[in-house]
Amino acid sequence: MISYLDLKQLNAPYDAEIREAIGGVLDAGWYLRGEATRRFERHYAAYIGTRHCVGCANGLDALTLIFRAYIEMGVMAEGDEVIVPANTYIASILAVTENRLRPVLVEPDPDTLQIDERLIEQAVTARTRAVMIVHLYGRCAYTPLIADICRRHHLKLIEDNAQAHGCTYLSPLSSLISPLKTGSLGDAAGHSFYPTKNLGALGDAGAVTTDDEELAQLVSALGNYGSARKYVFDYVGRNSRMDDLQAAVLDVKLRHLEEANAVRREIASIYINKVNNPLIHIPRCDRDSVWHIFPILSPQRDTLRQYLLDHGVETQIHYPIPPHRQQCYPQWHHLSLPITERIHSQELSLPCNQTMTASEADQISTLLNDV
Ligand SMILES: Cc1ncc(COP(=O)(O)O)c(C=O)c1O
C-alpha cells in the first residue's frame, strides 16, 4: 500500500533532533511565547525574508489576526470587501468573514488553478480594501499584475501561505537577484504549520510574516488577549499563542525543509514526465512549486480514485465542496462559479511527499497510464 501521507514515517528521520529539542524546552521550564518561540520566529523570518515573524496558534488565526490588526489600524472596517480566490480551503474565507469583512470570490485560471489575475480588477469596488492570494497546492499565486492592481487601487496584498513553505516567486530577474519567497511578496502573510504541511508541527501552530512593524506588534498583542504589556489590555484580543514545544520542533524541521521540498519536486517531475493519459489533466505549473499537493483533474475522478485504491494507492481530494456551496455560507448558494465547481468535482491529489521513492511515483504513473 502506498499511503497518501504517513506522518510517523515523515517525522522519523528527525526523531533524535526532535527529542533533543523537546528536552531543551523541558529543561527551560517555559512553555509559551518563550525562548524557543522567539528563536523560531527569528529563523523563520530570516528564511522567508521578512523583518518580522509572529507565532500564533494556527494558520486560521494567523490570517484572522492580520485582518483584525488592519481593522484596529483603521485600514479596513466592517463591511469592506476582500477579493479572494473562489477555489480555496475554507479557512482562507473564514478569516475574512470572522472579521465581518465581505469576501468577493474570484474564479481561478483553469490552467494553473490559481486566482485568475485577469478577473481581479473588474472585482474591485469602492469598498475593496485587500486582495488575498492563496498559494494553493504549494504553487506561487503572486503575479506582478496582481501587485500592480493592489498598488493602483491602494489595496493590501495578503498571502495565504499555509500550503507553500519554501516556494519562491520566479521573476524574470531571478537569475540576477535571489528569488523572493512566498510569504514575503505582499503586505502580510499567514502560515499554517498543521502537521501535514510542508513545514509541519506535531500539533497546531501558525505564524504571520510581514515587514510592517506596526502590524507585527498588533498581531502579537491581539494574540495575547490584546496586551503588549503585562496586565494592560489595549484591544479586545484573543488567546492565540504558539507553544514552545511546537516552536522547537518547527525549528528542527525548518533546517530540513529545503531537502524535503527537493524530494517533493523530484516526485512531481516523475508524474509530470510520465503520466500520459487523455483522461487525466495535469494542471500547468510553470511557476515554482513546493508540491504540498500534486493535483490532477479527471472527469472520472471517483472511478479513478477507486481504481488506484484497488491497486494499493491512497489518494485525497482537495477539496470536494467549494466554499460557495458549503452549508455555512448560504448567501452564496445562488452563485455560479463553473471553473471552481469543475475543479472541485474533478480534482484528485496523488501522494507526493519526501517519504516517497522514485519507483513508487513510477508505479503510480504506470497505473494512471494503464487505466
Ligand atoms: C489554504 C489554507 N489556508 C489556511 C489554513 C488554515 O491553517 P490551520 O489548519 O493551521 O488553521 C489551511 C490549512 O489547513 C490551508 O490549507
Side-chain angles (χ1 to χ4, degrees), residues 82-108:
V82 178
I83 292 172
V84 297
N87 64 319
T88 182
Y89 183 57
I90 198 79
S92 320
I93 313 277
L94 287 173
V96 179
T97 55
E98 168 83 7
N99 282 290
R100 297 178 190 280
L101 299 164
R102 283 187 358 102
V104 174
L105 308 177
V106 168
E107 285 265 67

Side-chain angles (χ1 to χ4, degrees), residues 15-79:
D15 190 282
E17 281 179 86
I18 287 176
R19 283 175 200 274
E20 193 187 330
I22 289 174
V25 176
L26 270 178
D27 289 345
W30 192 283
Y31 311 121
L32 287 161
R33 286 166 74 109
E35 186 42 43
T37 297
R38 298 285 166 251
R39 194 180 317 121
F40 173 70
E41 288 173 335
R42 270 198 314 277
H43 291 162
Y44 195 62
Y47 177 75
I48 293 294
T50 51
R51 287 175 54 213
H52 306 282
C53 167
V54 182
C56 62
N58 55 63
L60 172 58
D61 277 7
L63 293 166
T64 306
L65 287 168
I66 291 171
F67 288 109
R68 182 64 207 291
Y70 278 131
I71 289 172
E72 292 294 344
M73 287 161 75
V75 173
M76 298 174 196
E78 190 175 325

Side-chain angles (χ1 to χ4, degrees), residues 58-60 63 88-89 91-92 134 160 162-163 192 194 197 205 319:
N58 55 63
L60 172 58
L63 293 166
T88 182
Y89 183 57
S92 320
V134 180
D160 180 341
Q163 301 192 356
S192 163
Y194 182 76
K197 298 292 195 264
Y319 301 91

